[in-house]
Each structure stands twice: as structure tokens, then as C-alpha cells.
Amino acid sequence: MKIECTIKKIGEHQSGVIAANGNTWHRQPIEVSWNETKQGKDGGFYNFEQSLIVELWGDNAKNFTLSVGQNVTLDLAFSTREYGGKSYNNIRSNFIILR
């Protein structure tokens, strides 16, 4: 799923080493926002700001140079994982393009 959005907040870059193979991983969380127009019960149309935290991984995170306020297009991938008997959502971006 692709969305056109604006970078609202940039989280702390994280990296580490995978013990099994010695490879380095990189993770960069960013908060993005976009506006949607929805019709209300009264028939009027209203703009709502939507926001989402997306994780960039690998080279996208390692080479991240964008700043707050820039308009981008994200290709999102959704998945879930289970840990300790609880399920967690994962929202990642496979690529990020400056608009």
C-alpha cells in the first residue's frame, strides 16, 4: 500500500549486531501524517489528520537523511508477530521517495 504523507517526527536511530551471523541491522522509526476528507453524519465534509509510526529497516534506515516537514511517498508492508502470548502489529516501509 502506498501513501503520500509528510514526515511529522523522527525517532532515534537504532542498530545492533545479529549474534548468529554477525550482520549489522539498522532501524529508524518515523511518524508520518496525511489528511483525509470524510463525510460526517450531517452530510458535511471534514478534513482529518491521520498519523502513523512506520519503521524503516536496513539501508533505508542506515542512509536516512530526510527531515521533519518533507513530503514523501511510502510503500507500506503490514505484518503481525507474537511474543509472550501477545500479538503485535508491524508497519514497515520497503522504500521511501521524496516528493
Side-chain angles (χ1 to χ4, degrees):
M1 176 176 140
K2 291 181 184 171
I3 62 169
E4 293 184 359
C5 52
T6 302
I7 298 174
K8 187 174 182 178
K9 190 175 186 181
I10 299 172
E12 182 179 338
H13 178 268
Q14 299 172 330
S15 63
V17 176
I18 301 169
N21 59 19
N23 290 341
T24 303
W25 57 267
H26 296 273
R27 174 182 173 269
Q28 178 68 59
I30 61 172
E31 182 178 353
V32 297
S33 64
W34 66 96
N35 287 319
E36 285 187 9
T37 301
K38 296 186 178 185
Q39 188 171 11
K41 293 180 181 179
D42 63 357
F45 289 91
Y46 303 92
N47 282 328
F48 290 94
E49 181 180 76
Q50 304 290 331
S51 64
L52 182 67
I53 294 178
V54 178
E55 294 180 344
L56 305 174
W57 283 87
D59 287 341
N60 284 332
K62 181 180 177 182
N63 302 323
F64 187 79
T65 59
L66 301 176
S67 59
V68 171
Q70 288 188 293
N71 295 320
V72 295
T73 300
L74 296 178
D75 181 29
L76 301 179
F78 303 94
S79 63
T80 59
R81 62 181 170 83
E82 187 178 327
Y83 179 77
K86 295 182 180 179
S87 293
Y88 298 90
N89 289 324
N90 286 323
I91 304 169
R92 294 185 179 183
S93 178
N94 296 325
F95 68 82
I96 184 168
I97 299 171
L98 185 62
R99 293 191 279 129

